Amino acid sequence: MSKTALVTGASRGIGLETTRRFILNHDDITTVVMFARDSEDFDDNVAALESELPIGRKIVPYRVDVGDRSALKKAVKQAYDEVGNIDILINNAGYTNPVPLQQVKMADFEKTMNVNLYGPFTIVKTLLNRGNRFDLIVNIASTAGINGRSGWLTYSASKAAVINMSQVMREELSIYGTRVVCLSPAAPRPHCAARSRRRRIPARSCSPSTSLR
Ligand SMILES: NC(=O)c1ccc[n+]([C@@H]2O[C@H](COP(=O)([O-])OP(=O)(O)OC[C@H]3O[C@@H](n4cnc5c(N)ncnc54)[C@H](OP(=O)(O)O)[C@@H]3O)[C@@H](O)[C@H]2O)c1
């Protein structure tokens, strides 16, 4: 059966690569809805992806700020009306502005929570209330949400909340057969990557505690 995915933060990085792999390498995923803010990068990457699309596959870009709750709700409803049930949701969009604790501005803390925590929650709640049934929800957190990262208070707090929220989603949505996965990538560590290149070992084996979780 053909599946539809929605990926936030799909203009670059992990979100763009996830979209590319879904639409090019997964036979069962025929539609990917891409959420990101309006930008030339997004336009260019959508155009590049469209030029490689296999027959019968489509990408559906939406220009939306995940941190703007009313715009987000509107976009989610429009996407649902346009493509139907979202089977796979990848909550990937992320924002951070690392500063020392004394310099944290409340407006920036609120923006971080809006994009990293309330955005993913709003997408899930809006779709559930529309009658959507998910097969899989993937929330992207961070190792900063597990241990906290000095200088990254707002980001660490938002990602810790994402990890906890994912546990509750997993329990509450299991009755629908929905799998909820929370991934916590580690920030790249240049010295680790250089060492593994010299020794020809995979970077992830430098520290099991910082690998994907
Ligand atoms: N890469 C890492 O080392 C690492 C480590 C730990 C966790 N993570 C997490 O993994 C996720 C992806 O990271 P990445 O490295 O791929 O990041 P990235 O290359 O900086 O991309 C971030 C994505 O999020 C989108 N985004 C940011 N603010 C947004 C907003 N207000 N509304 C809509 N989209 C927004 C960006 O889109 P626009 O700016 O174009 O709107 C972009 O597509 C994030 O949640 C990040 O916290 C990454």
Side-chain angles (χ1 to χ4, degrees), residues 107-138:
D108 197 61
F109 203 162
E110 283 162 7
K111 178 177 174 179
T112 309
M113 297 304 271
N114 278 333
V115 175
N116 296 356
L117 181 68
Y118 304 144
F121 167 73
T122 300
I123 296 172
V124 170
K125 184 183 169 195
T126 305
L127 283 169
L128 286 173
N129 287 345
R130 212 71 178 174
N132 195 84
R133 288 291 171 262
F134 299 98
D135 289 349
L136 173 67
I137 298 171
V138 179

PDB file of all heavy atoms in Angstrom, residues 107-138:
ATOM      1  N   ALA A 107      12.163  35.982  24.846  1.00  0.00           N
ATOM      2  CA  ALA A 107      11.531  35.849  23.525  1.00  0.00           C
ATOM      3  C   ALA A 107      12.218  34.737  22.725  1.00  0.00           C
ATOM      4  O   ALA A 107      11.569  33.978  21.991  1.00  0.00           O
ATOM      5  CB  ALA A 107      11.608  37.173  22.770  1.00  0.00           C
ATOM      6  N   ASP A 108      13.551  34.631  22.899  1.00  0.00           N
ATOM      7  CA  ASP A 108      14.278  33.590  22.168  1.00  0.00           C
ATOM      8  C   ASP A 108      14.006  32.201  22.767  1.00  0.00           C
ATOM      9  O   ASP A 108      13.913  31.208  22.036  1.00  0.00           O
ATOM     10  CB  ASP A 108      15.780  33.905  22.187  1.00  0.00           C
ATOM     11  CG  ASP A 108      16.495  33.100  21.123  1.00  0.00           C
ATOM     12  OD1 ASP A 108      16.168  33.277  19.929  1.00  0.00           O
ATOM     13  OD2 ASP A 108      17.327  32.245  21.483  1.00  0.00           O
ATOM     14  N   PHE A 109      13.874  32.155  24.105  1.00  0.00           N
ATOM     15  CA  PHE A 109      13.526  30.885  24.769  1.00  0.00           C
ATOM     16  C   PHE A 109      12.166  30.416  24.239  1.00  0.00           C
ATOM     17  O   PHE A 109      11.963  29.244  23.890  1.00  0.00           O
ATOM     18  CB  PHE A 109      13.474  31.117  26.285  1.00  0.00           C
ATOM     19  CG  PHE A 109      13.665  29.866  27.115  1.00  0.00           C
ATOM     20  CD1 PHE A 109      14.013  29.970  28.459  1.00  0.00           C
ATOM     21  CD2 PHE A 109      13.497  28.581  26.589  1.00  0.00           C
ATOM     22  CE1 PHE A 109      14.186  28.832  29.253  1.00  0.00           C
ATOM     23  CE2 PHE A 109      13.672  27.442  27.365  1.00  0.00           C
ATOM     24  CZ  PHE A 109      14.010  27.577  28.709  1.00  0.00           C
ATOM     25  N   GLU A 110      11.218  31.380  24.156  1.00  0.00           N
ATOM     26  CA  GLU A 110       9.875  31.025  23.679  1.00  0.00           C
ATOM     27  C   GLU A 110       9.911  30.559  22.225  1.00  0.00           C
ATOM     28  O   GLU A 110       9.235  29.593  21.858  1.00  0.00           O
ATOM     29  CB  GLU A 110       8.929  32.229  23.839  1.00  0.00           C
ATOM     30  CG  GLU A 110       8.489  32.406  25.287  1.00  0.00           C
ATOM     31  CD  GLU A 110       7.919  33.784  25.605  1.00  0.00           C
ATOM     32  OE1 GLU A 110       7.729  34.588  24.665  1.00  0.00           O
ATOM     33  OE2 GLU A 110       7.688  34.054  26.783  1.00  0.00           O
ATOM     34  N   LYS A 111      10.736  31.212  21.411  1.00  0.00           N
ATOM     35  CA  LYS A 111      10.851  30.788  20.009  1.00  0.00           C
ATOM     36  C   LYS A 111      11.400  29.349  19.930  1.00  0.00           C
ATOM     37  O   LYS A 111      10.920  28.521  19.154  1.00  0.00           O
ATOM     38  CB  LYS A 111      11.778  31.752  19.251  1.00  0.00           C
ATOM     39  CG  LYS A 111      11.989  31.343  17.815  1.00  0.00           C
ATOM     40  CD  LYS A 111      12.839  32.322  17.027  1.00  0.00           C
ATOM     41  CE  LYS A 111      13.123  31.759  15.635  1.00  0.00           C
ATOM     42  NZ  LYS A 111      13.915  32.642  14.802  1.00  0.00           N
ATOM     43  N   THR A 112      12.412  29.067  20.774  1.00  0.00           N
ATOM     44  CA  THR A 112      13.015  27.724  20.779  1.00  0.00           C
ATOM     45  C   THR A 112      11.966  26.668  21.139  1.00  0.00           C
ATOM     46  O   THR A 112      11.875  25.615  20.497  1.00  0.00           O
ATOM     47  CB  THR A 112      14.180  27.673  21.799  1.00  0.00           C
ATOM     48  OG1 THR A 112      15.048  28.770  21.540  1.00  0.00           O
ATOM     49  CG2 THR A 112      14.962  26.377  21.695  1.00  0.00           C
ATOM     50  N   MET A 113      11.181  26.976  22.175  1.00  0.00           N
ATOM     51  CA  MET A 113      10.130  26.027  22.586  1.00  0.00           C
ATOM     52  C   MET A 113       9.058  25.908  21.497  1.00  0.00           C
ATOM     53  O   MET A 113       8.549  24.816  21.244  1.00  0.00           O
ATOM     54  CB  MET A 113       9.493  26.457  23.915  1.00  0.00           C
ATOM     55  CG  MET A 113      10.450  26.470  25.086  1.00  0.00           C
ATOM     56  SD  MET A 113      11.294  24.896  25.400  1.00  0.00           S
ATOM     57  CE  MET A 113      10.155  24.084  26.487  1.00  0.00           C
ATOM     58  N   ASN A 114       8.727  27.024  20.873  1.00  0.00           N
ATOM     59  CA  ASN A 114       7.709  26.987  19.816  1.00  0.00           C
ATOM     60  C   ASN A 114       8.129  26.077  18.666  1.00  0.00           C
ATOM     61  O   ASN A 114       7.347  25.260  18.179  1.00  0.00           O
ATOM     62  CB  ASN A 114       7.453  28.402  19.266  1.00  0.00           C
ATOM     63  CG  ASN A 114       6.507  29.184  20.145  1.00  0.00           C
ATOM     64  OD1 ASN A 114       5.677  28.612  20.839  1.00  0.00           O
ATOM     65  ND2 ASN A 114       6.635  30.494  20.140  1.00  0.00           N
ATOM     66  N   VAL A 115       9.368  26.234  18.208  1.00  0.00           N
ATOM     67  CA  VAL A 115       9.818  25.457  17.037  1.00  0.00           C
ATOM     68  C   VAL A 115      10.086  23.997  17.423  1.00  0.00           C
ATOM     69  O   VAL A 115       9.646  23.071  16.738  1.00  0.00           O
ATOM     70  CB  VAL A 115      11.104  26.076  16.420  1.00  0.00           C
ATOM     71  CG1 VAL A 115      11.634  25.196  15.280  1.00  0.00           C
ATOM     72  CG2 VAL A 115      10.835  27.499  15.934  1.00  0.00           C
ATOM     73  N   ASN A 116      10.817  23.794  18.550  1.00  0.00           N
ATOM     74  CA  ASN A 116      11.311  22.447  18.860  1.00  0.00           C
ATOM     75  C   ASN A 116      10.290  21.559  19.576  1.00  0.00           C
ATOM     76  O   ASN A 116      10.331  20.340  19.433  1.00  0.00           O
ATOM     77  CB  ASN A 116      12.567  22.531  19.736  1.00  0.00           C
ATOM     78  CG  ASN A 116      13.718  23.204  19.013  1.00  0.00           C
ATOM     79  OD1 ASN A 116      13.618  23.540  17.837  1.00  0.00           O
ATOM     80  ND2 ASN A 116      14.819  23.419  19.704  1.00  0.00           N
ATOM     81  N   LEU A 117       9.395  22.190  20.357  1.00  0.00           N
ATOM     82  CA  LEU A 117       8.472  21.383  21.171  1.00  0.00           C
ATOM     83  C   LEU A 117       7.000  21.576  20.783  1.00  0.00           C
ATOM     84  O   LEU A 117       6.311  20.607  20.437  1.00  0.00           O
ATOM     85  CB  LEU A 117       8.651  21.739  22.657  1.00  0.00           C
ATOM     86  CG  LEU A 117       7.766  20.960  23.617  1.00  0.00           C
ATOM     87  CD1 LEU A 117       8.162  19.481  23.654  1.00  0.00           C
ATOM     88  CD2 LEU A 117       7.834  21.552  25.025  1.00  0.00           C
ATOM     89  N   TYR A 118       6.531  22.836  20.819  1.00  0.00           N
ATOM     90  CA  TYR A 118       5.103  23.049  20.567  1.00  0.00           C
ATOM     91  C   TYR A 118       4.757  22.764  19.094  1.00  0.00           C
ATOM     92  O   TYR A 118       3.640  22.334  18.799  1.00  0.00           O
ATOM     93  CB  TYR A 118       4.680  24.473  20.942  1.00  0.00           C
ATOM     94  CG  TYR A 118       4.991  24.844  22.378  1.00  0.00           C
ATOM     95  CD1 TYR A 118       5.390  26.136  22.717  1.00  0.00           C
ATOM     96  CD2 TYR A 118       4.906  23.906  23.408  1.00  0.00           C
ATOM     97  CE1 TYR A 118       5.682  26.482  24.031  1.00  0.00           C
ATOM     98  CE2 TYR A 118       5.202  24.243  24.721  1.00  0.00           C
ATOM     99  CZ  TYR A 118       5.593  25.532  25.027  1.00  0.00           C
ATOM    100  OH  TYR A 118       5.888  25.866  26.316  1.00  0.00           O
ATOM    101  N   GLY A 119       5.699  23.007  18.192  1.00  0.00           N
ATOM    102  CA  GLY A 119       5.460  22.717  16.768  1.00  0.00           C
ATOM    103  C   GLY A 119       5.146  21.238  16.549  1.00  0.00           C
ATOM    104  O   GLY A 119       4.070  20.896  16.031  1.00  0.00           O
ATOM    105  N   PRO A 120       6.045  20.328  16.958  1.00  0.00           N
ATOM    106  CA  PRO A 120       5.764  18.891  16.807  1.00  0.00           C
ATOM    107  C   PRO A 120       4.460  18.477  17.486  1.00  0.00           C
ATOM    108  O   PRO A 120       3.669  17.711  16.927  1.00  0.00           O
ATOM    109  CB  PRO A 120       6.970  18.224  17.486  1.00  0.00           C
ATOM    110  CG  PRO A 120       8.076  19.213  17.337  1.00  0.00           C
ATOM    111  CD  PRO A 120       7.433  20.577  17.395  1.00  0.00           C
ATOM    112  N   PHE A 121       4.220  19.003  18.694  1.00  0.00           N
ATOM    113  CA  PHE A 121       2.974  18.667  19.400  1.00  0.00           C
ATOM    114  C   PHE A 121       1.760  19.142  18.592  1.00  0.00           C
ATOM    115  O   PHE A 121       0.776  18.406  18.425  1.00  0.00           O
ATOM    116  CB  PHE A 121       2.967  19.318  20.796  1.00  0.00           C
ATOM    117  CG  PHE A 121       1.609  19.290  21.440  1.00  0.00           C
ATOM    118  CD1 PHE A 121       1.097  18.099  21.942  1.00  0.00           C
ATOM    119  CD2 PHE A 121       0.826  20.436  21.507  1.00  0.00           C
ATOM    120  CE1 PHE A 121      -0.180  18.063  22.508  1.00  0.00           C
ATOM    121  CE2 PHE A 121      -0.440  20.403  22.058  1.00  0.00           C
ATOM    122  CZ  PHE A 121      -0.947  19.219  22.571  1.00  0.00           C
ATOM    123  N   THR A 122       1.836  20.378  18.080  1.00  0.00           N
ATOM    124  CA  THR A 122       0.711  20.953  17.327  1.00  0.00           C
ATOM    125  C   THR A 122       0.404  20.126  16.079  1.00  0.00           C
ATOM    126  O   THR A 122      -0.762  19.894  15.744  1.00  0.00           O
ATOM    127  CB  THR A 122       1.035  22.419  16.932  1.00  0.00           C
ATOM    128  OG1 THR A 122       1.243  23.152  18.130  1.00  0.00           O
ATOM    129  CG2 THR A 122      -0.083  23.055  16.128  1.00  0.00           C
ATOM    130  N   ILE A 123       1.449  19.666  15.397  1.00  0.00           N
ATOM    131  CA  ILE A 123       1.227  18.858  14.183  1.00  0.00           C
ATOM    132  C   ILE A 123       0.504  17.555  14.548  1.00  0.00           C
ATOM    133  O   ILE A 123      -0.484  17.174  13.913  1.00  0.00           O
ATOM    134  CB  ILE A 123       2.564  18.559  13.461  1.00  0.00           C
ATOM    135  CG1 ILE A 123       3.198  19.861  12.972  1.00  0.00           C
ATOM    136  CG2 ILE A 123       2.343  17.586  12.304  1.00  0.00           C
ATOM    137  CD1 ILE A 123       4.607  19.700  12.408  1.00  0.00           C
ATOM    138  N   VAL A 124       1.001  16.884  15.585  1.00  0.00           N
ATOM    139  CA  VAL A 124       0.404  15.603  15.979  1.00  0.00           C
ATOM    140  C   VAL A 124      -1.051  15.808  16.419  1.00  0.00           C
ATOM    141  O   VAL A 124      -1.964  15.109  15.965  1.00  0.00           O
ATOM    142  CB  VAL A 124       1.237  14.933  17.106  1.00  0.00           C
ATOM    143  CG1 VAL A 124       0.504  13.723  17.684  1.00  0.00           C
ATOM    144  CG2 VAL A 124       2.599  14.508  16.566  1.00  0.00           C
ATOM    145  N   LYS A 125      -1.286  16.804  17.288  1.00  0.00           N
ATOM    146  CA  LYS A 125      -2.647  17.023  17.812  1.00  0.00           C
ATOM    147  C   LYS A 125      -3.609  17.411  16.684  1.00  0.00           C
ATOM    148  O   LYS A 125      -4.729  16.880  16.604  1.00  0.00           O
ATOM    149  CB  LYS A 125      -2.620  18.123  18.886  1.00  0.00           C
ATOM    150  CG  LYS A 125      -3.978  18.320  19.514  1.00  0.00           C
ATOM    151  CD  LYS A 125      -4.015  19.444  20.522  1.00  0.00           C
ATOM    152  CE  LYS A 125      -5.467  19.723  20.884  1.00  0.00           C
ATOM    153  NZ  LYS A 125      -5.662  20.978  21.555  1.00  0.00           N
ATOM    154  N   THR A 126      -3.162  18.330  15.805  1.00  0.00           N
ATOM    155  CA  THR A 126      -4.043  18.793  14.724  1.00  0.00           C
ATOM    156  C   THR A 126      -4.431  17.629  13.810  1.00  0.00           C
ATOM    157  O   THR A 126      -5.594  17.483  13.420  1.00  0.00           O
ATOM    158  CB  THR A 126      -3.339  19.901  13.898  1.00  0.00           C
ATOM    159  OG1 THR A 126      -2.929  20.936  14.788  1.00  0.00           O
ATOM    160  CG2 THR A 126      -4.252  20.483  12.835  1.00  0.00           C
ATOM    161  N   LEU A 127      -3.468  16.779  13.498  1.00  0.00           N
ATOM    162  CA  LEU A 127      -3.767  15.653  12.609  1.00  0.00           C
ATOM    163  C   LEU A 127      -4.670  14.617  13.292  1.00  0.00           C
ATOM    164  O   LEU A 127      -5.596  14.093  12.671  1.00  0.00           O
ATOM    165  CB  LEU A 127      -2.472  15.008  12.107  1.00  0.00           C
ATOM    166  CG  LEU A 127      -1.763  15.805  11.000  1.00  0.00           C
ATOM    167  CD1 LEU A 127      -0.359  15.260  10.731  1.00  0.00           C
ATOM    168  CD2 LEU A 127      -2.577  15.801   9.699  1.00  0.00           C
ATOM    169  N   LEU A 128      -4.392  14.333  14.564  1.00  0.00           N
ATOM    170  CA  LEU A 128      -5.246  13.367  15.280  1.00  0.00           C
ATOM    171  C   LEU A 128      -6.688  13.859  15.311  1.00  0.00           C
ATOM    172  O   LEU A 128      -7.630  13.095  15.074  1.00  0.00           O
ATOM    173  CB  LEU A 128      -4.739  13.160  16.712  1.00  0.00           C
ATOM    174  CG  LEU A 128      -3.469  12.325  16.882  1.00  0.00           C
ATOM    175  CD1 LEU A 128      -3.017  12.356  18.340  1.00  0.00           C
ATOM    176  CD2 LEU A 128      -3.658  10.881  16.420  1.00  0.00           C
ATOM    177  N   ASN A 129      -6.854  15.161  15.570  1.00  0.00           N
ATOM    178  CA  ASN A 129      -8.215  15.718  15.641  1.00  0.00           C
ATOM    179  C   ASN A 129      -8.901  15.754  14.287  1.00  0.00           C
ATOM    180  O   ASN A 129     -10.111  15.908  14.199  1.00  0.00           O
ATOM    181  CB  ASN A 129      -8.182  17.116  16.270  1.00  0.00           C
ATOM    182  CG  ASN A 129      -7.921  17.047  17.762  1.00  0.00           C
ATOM    183  OD1 ASN A 129      -8.042  15.983  18.362  1.00  0.00           O
ATOM    184  ND2 ASN A 129      -7.530  18.154  18.361  1.00  0.00           N
ATOM    185  N   ARG A 130      -8.108  15.608  13.231  1.00  0.00           N
ATOM    186  CA  ARG A 130      -8.652  15.555  11.872  1.00  0.00           C
ATOM    187  C   ARG A 130      -9.026  14.118  11.491  1.00  0.00           C
ATOM    188  O   ARG A 130      -9.471  13.851  10.382  1.00  0.00           O
ATOM    189  CB  ARG A 130      -7.557  16.076  10.938  1.00  0.00           C
ATOM    190  CG  ARG A 130      -7.966  16.815   9.706  1.00  0.00           C
ATOM    191  CD  ARG A 130      -8.524  18.190   9.975  1.00  0.00           C
ATOM    192  NE  ARG A 130      -8.845  18.826   8.699  1.00  0.00           N
ATOM    193  CZ  ARG A 130      -9.448  19.967   8.567  1.00  0.00           C
ATOM    194  NH1 ARG A 130      -9.819  20.643   9.612  1.00  0.00           N
ATOM    195  NH2 ARG A 130      -9.700  20.449   7.373  1.00  0.00           N
ATOM    196  N   GLY A 131      -8.681  13.155  12.373  1.00  0.00           N
ATOM    197  CA  GLY A 131      -8.985  11.747  12.083  1.00  0.00           C
ATOM    198  C   GLY A 131      -7.787  10.995  11.506  1.00  0.00           C
ATOM    199  O   GLY A 131      -7.917   9.856  11.070  1.00  0.00           O
ATOM    200  N   ASN A 132      -6.606  11.641  11.518  1.00  0.00           N
ATOM    201  CA  ASN A 132      -5.403  10.995  10.961  1.00  0.00           C
ATOM    202  C   ASN A 132      -4.977   9.813  11.839  1.00  0.00           C
ATOM    203  O   ASN A 132      -5.062   9.868  13.064  1.00  0.00           O
ATOM    204  CB  ASN A 132      -4.266  12.018  10.907  1.00  0.00           C
ATOM    205  CG  ASN A 132      -3.106  11.585  10.025  1.00  0.00           C
ATOM    206  OD1 ASN A 132      -3.142  11.776   8.824  1.00  0.00           O
ATOM    207  ND2 ASN A 132      -2.081  10.978  10.611  1.00  0.00           N
ATOM    208  N   ARG A 133      -4.498   8.758  11.201  1.00  0.00           N
ATOM    209  CA  ARG A 133      -3.932   7.628  11.930  1.00  0.00           C
ATOM    210  C   ARG A 133      -2.489   7.424  11.470  1.00  0.00           C
ATOM    211  O   ARG A 133      -2.245   7.105  10.311  1.00  0.00           O
ATOM    212  CB  ARG A 133      -4.737   6.348  11.678  1.00  0.00           C
ATOM    213  CG  ARG A 133      -6.094   6.355  12.355  1.00  0.00           C
ATOM    214  CD  ARG A 133      -5.974   6.271  13.879  1.00  0.00           C
ATOM    215  NE  ARG A 133      -7.263   6.479  14.543  1.00  0.00           N
ATOM    216  CZ  ARG A 133      -7.677   7.630  15.079  1.00  0.00           C
ATOM    217  NH1 ARG A 133      -6.910   8.704  15.035  1.00  0.00           N
ATOM    218  NH2 ARG A 133      -8.838   7.732  15.675  1.00  0.00           N
ATOM    219  N   PHE A 134      -1.555   7.614  12.399  1.00  0.00           N
ATOM    220  CA  PHE A 134      -0.129   7.486  12.057  1.00  0.00           C
ATOM    221  C   PHE A 134       0.329   6.033  12.184  1.00  0.00           C
ATOM    222  O   PHE A 134      -0.061   5.338  13.120  1.00  0.00           O
ATOM    223  CB  PHE A 134       0.729   8.280  13.049  1.00  0.00           C
ATOM    224  CG  PHE A 134       0.475   9.759  13.088  1.00  0.00           C
ATOM    225  CD1 PHE A 134      -0.336  10.326  14.061  1.00  0.00           C
ATOM    226  CD2 PHE A 134       1.082  10.602  12.171  1.00  0.00           C
ATOM    227  CE1 PHE A 134      -0.544  11.692  14.121  1.00  0.00           C
ATOM    228  CE2 PHE A 134       0.875  11.972  12.221  1.00  0.00           C
ATOM    229  CZ  PHE A 134       0.063  12.521  13.202  1.00  0.00           C
ATOM    230  N   ASP A 135       1.210   5.616  11.262  1.00  0.00           N
ATOM    231  CA  ASP A 135       1.951   4.358  11.476  1.00  0.00           C
ATOM    232  C   ASP A 135       3.158   4.641  12.366  1.00  0.00           C
ATOM    233  O   ASP A 135       3.500   3.867  13.243  1.00  0.00           O
ATOM    234  CB  ASP A 135       2.523   3.810  10.148  1.00  0.00           C
ATOM    235  CG  ASP A 135       1.443   3.267   9.251  1.00  0.00           C
ATOM    236  OD1 ASP A 135       0.302   3.118   9.718  1.00  0.00           O
ATOM    237  OD2 ASP A 135       1.752   3.000   8.065  1.00  0.00           O
ATOM    238  N   LEU A 136       3.816   5.772  12.059  1.00  0.00           N
ATOM    239  CA  LEU A 136       5.109   6.063  12.692  1.00  0.00           C
ATOM    240  C   LEU A 136       5.281   7.565  12.886  1.00  0.00           C
ATOM    241  O   LEU A 136       5.042   8.350  11.955  1.00  0.00           O
ATOM    242  CB  LEU A 136       6.247   5.542  11.786  1.00  0.00           C
ATOM    243  CG  LEU A 136       7.676   5.885  12.180  1.00  0.00           C
ATOM    244  CD1 LEU A 136       8.071   5.190  13.487  1.00  0.00           C
ATOM    245  CD2 LEU A 136       8.664   5.477  11.067  1.00  0.00           C
ATOM    246  N   ILE A 137       5.686   7.946  14.085  1.00  0.00           N
ATOM    247  CA  ILE A 137       6.081   9.335  14.354  1.00  0.00           C
ATOM    248  C   ILE A 137       7.533   9.292  14.823  1.00  0.00           C
ATOM    249  O   ILE A 137       7.870   8.538  15.744  1.00  0.00           O
ATOM    250  CB  ILE A 137       5.219   9.983  15.463  1.00  0.00           C
ATOM    251  CG1 ILE A 137       3.752  10.042  15.029  1.00  0.00           C
ATOM    252  CG2 ILE A 137       5.739  11.376  15.804  1.00  0.00           C
ATOM    253  CD1 ILE A 137       2.791  10.479  16.149  1.00  0.00           C
ATOM    254  N   VAL A 138       8.392  10.083  14.171  1.00  0.00           N
ATOM    255  CA  VAL A 138       9.791  10.193  14.618  1.00  0.00           C
ATOM    256  C   VAL A 138      10.022  11.628  15.076  1.00  0.00           C
ATOM    257  O   VAL A 138       9.874  12.568  14.289  1.00  0.00           O
ATOM    258  CB  VAL A 138      10.785   9.837  13.488  1.00  0.00           C
ATOM    259  CG1 VAL A 138      12.226   9.993  13.985  1.00  0.00           C
ATOM    260  CG2 VAL A 138      10.556   8.420  12.983  1.00  0.00           C
TER     261      VAL A 138
END
